[in-house]
Amino acid sequence: MRFKYIRAKELADLLGVNKSTIWRWVKEKSDFPKPKKISKGVTVWNYWEVDLWVNQTTNNQ
């Protein structure tokens, strides 16, 4: 499987929330995918981890 990384803005757009919500989820939701800091000022998420989280979250509701 290829890795695909997305930044906070793209992730927020994908999930239909604000960037501030993404960062709040990082702090408050233990099951939310952890970001990876790849350089100073650049933080990304693994797209497939986010996709799995979305599927698990929507299936549990």
Side-chain angles (χ1 to χ4, degrees):
M1 178 186 324
R2 274 182 81 186
F3 290 104
K4 178 179 178 182
Y5 293 104
I6 56 177
R7 295 187 65 179
K9 172 72 170 114
E10 186 180 6
L11 179 58
D13 291 345
L14 178 73
L15 298 177
V17 298
N18 292 322
K19 276 186 3 179
S20 59
T21 301
I22 297 296
W23 290 111
R24 188 177 73 247
W25 288 351
V26 167
K27 292 178 184 176
E28 295 177 359
K29 292 183 177 277
S30 62
D31 64 334
F32 190 72
K34 302 298 179 223
K36 295 160 183 40
K37 188 169 186 139
I38 58 174
S39 69
K40 185 177 181 179
V42 179
T43 302
V44 296
W45 282 260
N46 180 311
Y47 173 85
W48 304 112
E49 289 177 6
V50 172
D51 187 57
L52 179 63
W53 179 80
V54 168
N55 287 324
Q56 289 175 342
T57 302
T58 56
N59 289 335
N60 289 335
Q61 291 182 355

Coordinates of all heavy atoms in Angstrom, one line a residue:
M1 N 0.8 -1.2 0.0 CA 0.0 0.0 0.0 C 0.9 1.2 0.0 O 1.8 1.3 0.7 CB -0.9 0.0 1.2 CG -1.8 1.2 1.3 SD -2.8 1.4 2.9 CE -3.2 -0.2 3.3
R2 N 0.6 2.2 -0.9 CA 1.3 3.4 -0.9 C 0.9 4.3 0.2 O -0.3 4.3 0.6 CB 1.0 4.2 -2.2 CG 1.9 3.7 -3.3 CD 1.6 4.5 -4.6 NE 2.3 5.8 -4.5 CZ 2.2 6.7 -5.4 NH1 1.4 6.6 -6.4 NH2 2.8 7.8 -5.3
F3 N 1.9 5.1 0.7 CA 1.6 6.1 1.7 C 1.1 7.4 1.0 O 1.6 7.8 0.0 CB 2.8 6.4 2.6 CG 3.2 5.3 3.4 CD1 4.3 4.5 3.1 CD2 2.4 5.0 4.6 CE1 4.6 3.4 3.9 CE2 2.8 3.9 5.4 CZ 3.9 3.1 5.1
K4 N 0.1 8.0 1.6 CA -0.4 9.3 1.2 C -0.5 10.1 2.4 O -1.2 9.7 3.3 CB -1.7 9.2 0.4 CG -2.3 10.5 0.0 CD -3.6 10.4 -0.7 CE -4.1 11.8 -1.1 NZ -5.4 11.7 -1.8
Y5 N 0.1 11.3 2.4 CA 0.1 12.2 3.5 C -0.7 13.4 3.2 O -0.6 13.9 2.0 CB 1.5 12.5 4.0 CG 2.2 11.3 4.6 CD1 3.2 10.7 3.9 CD2 1.9 10.9 5.9 CE1 3.8 9.6 4.4 CE2 2.5 9.8 6.4 CZ 3.5 9.1 5.7 OH 4.1 8.0 6.2
I6 N -1.5 13.9 4.1 CA -2.2 15.2 3.9 C -1.9 16.1 5.1 O -1.7 15.7 6.2 CB -3.7 14.9 3.7 CG1 -4.3 14.1 4.9 CG2 -4.0 14.2 2.5 CD1 -5.8 13.9 4.8
R7 N -2.0 17.4 4.8 CA -1.7 18.4 5.8 C -3.0 18.8 6.4 O -4.1 18.4 6.0 CB -1.0 19.6 5.1 CG 0.4 19.2 4.6 CD 1.2 20.2 4.1 NE 1.5 21.2 5.2 CZ 2.3 22.2 5.0 NH1 2.8 22.5 3.8 NH2 2.5 23.0 6.0
A8 N -2.9 19.6 7.5 CA -4.1 20.0 8.3 C -5.2 20.6 7.5 O -6.4 20.3 7.7 CB -3.7 20.9 9.5
K9 N -4.9 21.5 6.6 CA -5.9 22.2 5.8 C -6.7 21.2 5.0 O -7.9 21.2 4.9 CB -5.3 23.3 5.0 CG -6.2 24.0 4.0 CD -7.3 24.9 4.7 CE -8.0 25.7 3.7 NZ -9.4 25.4 3.6
E10 N -6.0 20.4 4.3 CA -6.6 19.4 3.4 C -7.4 18.4 4.2 O -8.5 18.0 3.8 CB -5.5 18.6 2.6 CG -6.1 17.7 1.6 CD -5.0 16.9 0.8 OE1 -3.8 17.1 1.1 OE2 -5.3 16.2 -0.1
L11 N -6.9 18.0 5.4 CA -7.6 17.1 6.3 C -8.9 17.8 6.8 O -10.0 17.1 6.8 CB -6.7 16.7 7.5 CG -7.4 15.8 8.5 CD1 -7.8 14.5 7.9 CD2 -6.3 15.5 9.6
A12 N -8.8 19.0 7.2 CA -10.0 19.7 7.6 C -11.1 19.8 6.5 O -12.3 19.6 6.8 CB -9.6 21.1 8.1
D13 N -10.6 20.1 5.3 CA -11.6 20.2 4.2 C -12.2 18.8 3.9 O -13.4 18.7 3.7 CB -10.8 20.7 2.9 CG -10.4 22.1 3.0 OD1 -10.9 22.9 3.8 OD2 -9.6 22.5 2.1
L14 N -11.4 17.8 4.0 CA -11.9 16.4 3.8 C -13.0 16.0 4.8 O -14.0 15.4 4.4 CB -10.7 15.4 3.8 CG -11.0 14.0 3.7 CD1 -11.3 13.7 2.2 CD2 -9.8 13.1 4.1
L15 N -12.7 16.4 6.0 CA -13.7 16.0 7.1 C -14.8 17.1 7.3 O -15.7 16.8 8.1 CB -12.9 15.8 8.4 CG -11.9 14.7 8.3 CD1 -11.1 14.6 9.7 CD2 -12.5 13.4 8.0
G16 N -14.7 18.2 6.6 CA -15.7 19.2 6.7 C -15.7 20.0 8.0 O -16.8 20.3 8.6
V17 N -14.5 20.2 8.6 CA -14.4 20.9 9.8 C -13.3 22.0 9.7 O -12.6 22.0 8.6 CB -14.0 19.9 11.0 CG1 -15.1 18.9 11.2 CG2 -12.7 19.3 10.7
N18 N -13.1 22.8 10.7 CA -12.1 23.8 10.7 C -10.7 23.2 11.1 O -10.7 22.2 11.8 CB -12.4 24.9 11.7 CG -13.6 25.8 11.2 OD1 -13.7 26.0 10.1 ND2 -14.4 26.2 12.2
K19 N -9.6 23.8 10.7 CA -8.3 23.3 11.2 C -8.2 23.3 12.7 O -7.6 22.4 13.3 CB -7.2 24.2 10.6 CG -6.8 23.9 9.2 CD -5.6 24.6 8.7 CE -4.9 25.5 9.5 NZ -3.7 26.2 8.9
S20 N -8.8 24.2 13.4 CA -8.8 24.2 14.8 C -9.5 23.0 15.4 O -9.0 22.5 16.5 CB -9.4 25.5 15.4 OG -10.8 25.6 15.0
T21 N -10.5 22.5 14.8 CA -11.1 21.3 15.2 C -10.2 20.1 15.1 O -10.1 19.2 16.0 CB -12.4 21.0 14.4 OG1 -13.3 22.1 14.6 CG2 -13.1 19.7 14.8
I22 N -9.4 20.0 14.0 CA -8.5 19.0 13.8 C -7.5 18.9 15.0 O -7.2 17.9 15.6 CB -7.7 19.1 12.5 CG1 -8.6 19.0 11.3 CG2 -6.5 18.1 12.4 CD1 -9.3 17.7 11.1
W23 N -6.9 20.1 15.3 CA -6.0 20.2 16.4 C -6.6 19.8 17.8 O -6.0 19.2 18.6 CB -5.3 21.5 16.4 CG -4.4 21.6 15.2 CD1 -4.5 22.4 14.2 CD2 -3.2 20.8 15.0 NE1 -3.5 22.2 13.3 CE2 -2.7 21.2 13.8 CE3 -2.5 19.8 15.7 CZ2 -1.5 20.7 13.2 CZ3 -1.4 19.3 15.2 CH2 -0.9 19.7 13.9
R24 N -7.9 20.2 18.0 CA -8.6 19.9 19.2 C -8.7 18.4 19.3 O -8.5 17.8 20.3 CB -9.9 20.6 19.3 CG -10.6 20.4 20.6 CD -11.9 21.1 20.8 NE -12.9 20.5 20.0 CZ -13.5 21.0 18.9 NH1 -13.2 22.2 18.5 NH2 -14.5 20.3 18.3
W25 N -9.1 17.7 18.2 CA -9.3 16.3 18.2 C -8.0 15.6 18.5 O -7.9 14.6 19.1 CB -9.8 15.8 16.8 CG -11.2 16.1 16.6 CD1 -12.1 16.6 17.5 CD2 -12.0 16.0 15.3 NE1 -13.4 16.8 16.9 CE2 -13.3 16.4 15.6 CE3 -11.6 15.5 14.1 CZ2 -14.2 16.4 14.6 CZ3 -12.6 15.5 13.1 CH2 -13.9 15.9 13.3
V26 N -6.8 16.1 18.0 CA -5.5 15.5 18.3 C -5.3 15.5 19.8 O -4.8 14.5 20.3 CB -4.4 16.3 17.6 CG1 -3.0 15.9 18.1 CG2 -4.5 16.1 16.1
K27 N -5.7 16.6 20.5 CA -5.5 16.6 21.9 C -6.6 15.9 22.7 O -6.2 15.3 23.7 CB -5.6 18.1 22.4 CG -4.4 18.9 21.9 CD -4.6 20.4 22.3 CE -3.5 21.2 21.8 NZ -3.6 22.6 22.1
E28 N -7.8 15.8 22.2 CA -8.9 15.3 23.0 C -9.4 13.9 22.7 O -9.9 13.2 23.5 CB -10.1 16.2 23.0 CG -9.8 17.6 23.5 CD -11.0 18.6 23.4 OE1 -12.1 18.2 22.8 OE2 -10.9 19.7 23.8
K29 N -9.2 13.5 21.5 CA -9.7 12.2 21.0 C -8.5 11.2 21.0 O -7.7 11.3 20.1 CB -10.4 12.2 19.7 CG -11.7 13.0 19.7 CD -12.3 13.0 18.3 CE -13.6 13.7 18.2 NZ -14.7 12.9 18.7
S30 N -8.5 10.2 21.9 CA -7.4 9.3 21.9 C -7.4 8.4 20.7 O -6.3 7.8 20.3 CB -7.4 8.4 23.2 OG -8.6 7.7 23.2
D31 N -8.5 8.2 20.0 CA -8.5 7.3 18.8 C -8.3 8.1 17.5 O -8.2 7.4 16.5 CB -9.9 6.6 18.8 CG -11.1 7.5 18.6 OD1 -11.0 8.7 19.0 OD2 -12.1 7.1 18.0
F32 N -8.2 9.4 17.6 CA -7.9 10.2 16.3 C -6.5 9.9 15.9 O -5.6 9.9 16.7 CB -8.1 11.7 16.6 CG -8.1 12.5 15.3 CD1 -9.2 12.4 14.4 CD2 -7.1 13.3 15.0 CE1 -9.2 13.1 13.3 CE2 -7.0 14.0 13.8 CZ -8.1 13.9 13.0
P33 N -6.3 9.7 14.6 CA -4.9 9.4 14.1 C -3.9 10.5 14.5 O -4.2 11.7 14.5 CB -5.1 9.4 12.6 CG -6.5 9.1 12.4 CD -7.2 9.7 13.5
K34 N -2.7 10.1 14.9 CA -1.7 11.0 15.3 C -1.0 11.6 14.1 O -0.7 10.9 13.2 CB -0.7 10.2 16.2 CG -1.3 9.6 17.4 CD -1.9 10.6 18.4 CE -2.5 10.0 19.6 NZ -3.8 10.5 19.9
P35 N -0.7 12.9 14.2 CA 0.0 13.5 13.1 C 1.5 13.2 13.2 O 2.0 12.8 14.2 CB -0.2 15.0 13.4 CG -0.4 15.1 14.9 CD -1.1 13.8 15.3
K36 N 2.2 13.4 12.1 CA 3.6 13.2 12.0 C 4.3 14.5 11.6 O 3.9 15.1 10.6 CB 4.0 12.1 11.0 CG 3.4 10.7 11.4 CD 3.3 9.8 10.2 CE 2.7 8.5 10.5 NZ 1.6 8.4 11.4
K37 N 5.2 14.9 12.4 CA 5.9 16.2 12.1 C 7.1 15.8 11.2 O 8.0 15.1 11.6 CB 6.4 16.9 13.3 CG 7.0 18.2 13.1 CD 7.2 19.0 14.3 CE 7.6 20.4 14.0 NZ 7.0 21.4 14.8
I38 N 7.1 16.3 9.9 CA 8.1 15.9 9.0 C 9.2 16.9 8.8 O 10.3 16.6 8.3 CB 7.6 15.5 7.6 CG1 6.8 16.6 6.9 CG2 6.7 14.2 7.7 CD1 6.3 16.3 5.5
S39 N 8.9 18.1 9.2 CA 10.0 19.2 9.3 C 9.4 20.3 10.1 O 8.2 20.3 10.5 CB 10.4 19.6 7.9 OG 9.3 20.3 7.3
K40 N 10.2 21.3 10.4 CA 9.7 22.5 11.1 C 8.6 23.1 10.4 O 8.7 23.5 9.2 CB 10.9 23.5 11.3 CG 10.5 24.6 12.2 CD 11.7 25.6 12.4 CE 11.2 26.7 13.3 NZ 12.3 27.6 13.6
G41 N 7.4 23.2 11.1 CA 6.3 23.8 10.5 C 5.5 23.0 9.5 O 4.5 23.4 8.9
V42 N 5.9 21.7 9.3 CA 5.1 20.8 8.4 C 4.7 19.6 9.2 O 5.5 18.7 9.6 CB 6.0 20.4 7.2 CG1 5.2 19.5 6.3 CG2 6.4 21.7 6.4
T43 N 3.4 19.4 9.4 CA 2.8 18.3 10.0 C 1.8 17.7 9.1 O 1.0 18.3 8.4 CB 2.1 18.7 11.3 OG1 3.1 19.4 12.2 CG2 1.5 17.6 12.1
V44 N 1.8 16.3 9.0 CA 1.0 15.6 8.1 C 0.3 14.4 8.8 O 0.7 14.0 9.9 CB 1.8 15.1 6.9 CG1 2.3 16.2 6.1 CG2 2.9 14.1 7.3
W45 N -0.8 13.9 8.2 CA -1.5 12.7 8.7 C -1.4 11.7 7.5 O -1.5 12.1 6.4 CB -2.9 13.0 9.0 CG -3.2 13.7 10.3 CD1 -3.6 13.1 11.4 CD2 -3.0 15.1 10.6 NE1 -3.7 14.1 12.4 CE2 -3.3 15.3 11.9 CE3 -2.6 16.2 9.8 CZ2 -3.3 16.5 12.5 CZ3 -2.5 17.4 10.4 CH2 -2.9 17.6 11.8
N46 N -1.4 10.5 7.9 CA -1.4 9.4 7.0 C -2.9 9.3 6.5 O -3.8 9.1 7.3 CB -1.0 8.1 7.6 CG -1.1 6.9 6.7 OD1 -2.1 6.7 6.0 ND2 0.0 6.1 6.6
Y47 N -3.1 9.5 5.2 CA -4.5 9.5 4.7 C -5.2 8.2 5.1 O -6.4 8.2 5.4 CB -4.5 9.7 3.2 CG -5.8 9.5 2.6 CD1 -6.7 10.6 2.5 CD2 -6.3 8.3 2.0 CE1 -8.0 10.4 2.0 CE2 -7.5 8.1 1.5 CZ -8.4 9.2 1.5 OH -9.6 9.1 0.9
W48 N -4.6 7.0 5.0 CA -5.2 5.8 5.2 C -5.6 5.6 6.7 O -6.6 5.0 7.0 CB -4.4 4.6 4.7 CG -4.0 4.8 3.2 CD1 -2.8 5.1 2.7 CD2 -4.9 4.9 2.1 NE1 -2.9 5.3 1.4 CE2 -4.2 5.2 1.0 CE3 -6.3 4.7 2.0 CZ2 -4.7 5.3 -0.3 CZ3 -6.9 4.8 0.7 CH2 -6.1 5.1 -0.4
E49 N -4.8 6.1 7.6 CA -5.2 6.1 9.0 C -6.4 6.9 9.2 O -7.3 6.5 10.0 CB -4.0 6.6 9.9 CG -2.9 5.6 9.9 CD -1.7 6.2 10.7 OE1 -1.9 7.2 11.4 OE2 -0.6 5.5 10.7
V50 N -6.5 8.0 8.6 CA -7.7 8.9 8.7 C -8.9 8.2 8.1 O -10.0 8.2 8.8 CB -7.5 10.3 8.1 CG1 -8.7 11.1 8.1 CG2 -6.3 11.0 8.8
D51 N -8.8 7.6 7.0 CA -9.9 6.9 6.3 C -10.4 5.8 7.2 O -11.6 5.6 7.4 CB -9.4 6.4 5.0 CG -10.5 5.8 4.2 OD1 -11.5 6.5 3.9 OD2 -10.4 4.6 3.8
L52 N -9.5 5.0 7.8 CA -9.9 4.0 8.7 C -10.6 4.5 9.9 O -11.7 4.0 10.3 CB -8.7 3.2 9.2 CG -8.9 2.0 10.1 CD1 -9.8 1.0 9.5 CD2 -7.6 1.4 10.6
W53 N -10.1 5.6 10.5 CA -10.8 6.3 11.7 C -12.2 6.7 11.3 O -13.1 6.5 12.1 CB -9.9 7.5 12.1 CG -10.5 8.2 13.3 CD1 -10.5 7.8 14.6 CD2 -11.3 9.4 13.2 NE1 -11.2 8.7 15.4 CE2 -11.7 9.7 14.6 CE3 -11.7 10.2 12.2 CZ2 -12.5 10.8 14.9 CZ3 -12.5 11.3 12.5 CH2 -12.9 11.6 13.8
V54 N -12.3 7.3 10.1 CA -13.7 7.8 9.7 C -14.6 6.6 9.6 O -15.7 6.7 10.1 CB -13.6 8.6 8.3 CG1 -15.0 8.8 7.7 CG2 -12.9 9.9 8.5
N55 N -14.2 5.6 9.0 CA -15.0 4.4 8.8 C -15.4 3.8 10.1 O -16.5 3.4 10.3 CB -14.3 3.3 7.9 CG -14.3 3.8 6.4 OD1 -15.3 4.4 6.0 ND2 -13.3 3.5 5.7
Q56 N -14.5 3.7 11.0 CA -14.7 3.1 12.4 C -15.7 4.0 13.1 O -16.6 3.5 13.8 CB -13.5 2.9 13.1 CG -12.6 1.7 12.6 CD -11.3 1.6 13.3 OE1 -10.8 2.5 14.0 NE2 -10.7 0.4 13.2
T57 N -15.5 5.3 13.0 CA -16.3 6.3 13.8 C -17.7 6.3 13.3 O -18.7 6.2 14.0 CB -15.7 7.7 13.7 OG1 -14.4 7.7 14.2 CG2 -16.5 8.7 14.4
T58 N -17.9 6.2 11.9 CA -19.3 6.3 11.4 C -20.0 4.9 11.6 O -21.2 4.9 11.7 CB -19.3 6.6 9.9 OG1 -18.4 5.7 9.2 CG2 -18.8 8.0 9.7
N59 N -19.2 3.8 11.6 CA -19.8 2.5 11.9 C -20.3 2.3 13.3 O -21.1 1.5 13.6 CB -18.9 1.4 11.5 CG -18.8 1.3 10.0 OD1 -19.6 1.7 9.2 ND2 -17.7 0.7 9.5
N60 N -19.7 3.1 14.2 CA -20.0 2.9 15.7 C -21.1 3.8 16.1 O -21.4 3.8 17.3 CB -18.7 3.2 16.5 CG -17.7 2.0 16.4 OD1 -18.1 0.9 16.1 ND2 -16.4 2.3 16.6
Q61 N -21.6 4.6 15.3 CA -22.7 5.6 15.7 C -24.0 5.0 15.5 O -24.3 4.1 14.7 CB -22.6 6.9 14.9 CG -21.4 7.6 15.3 CD -21.3 9.0 14.5 OE1 -22.1 9.3 13.7 NE2 -20.3 9.8 14.9

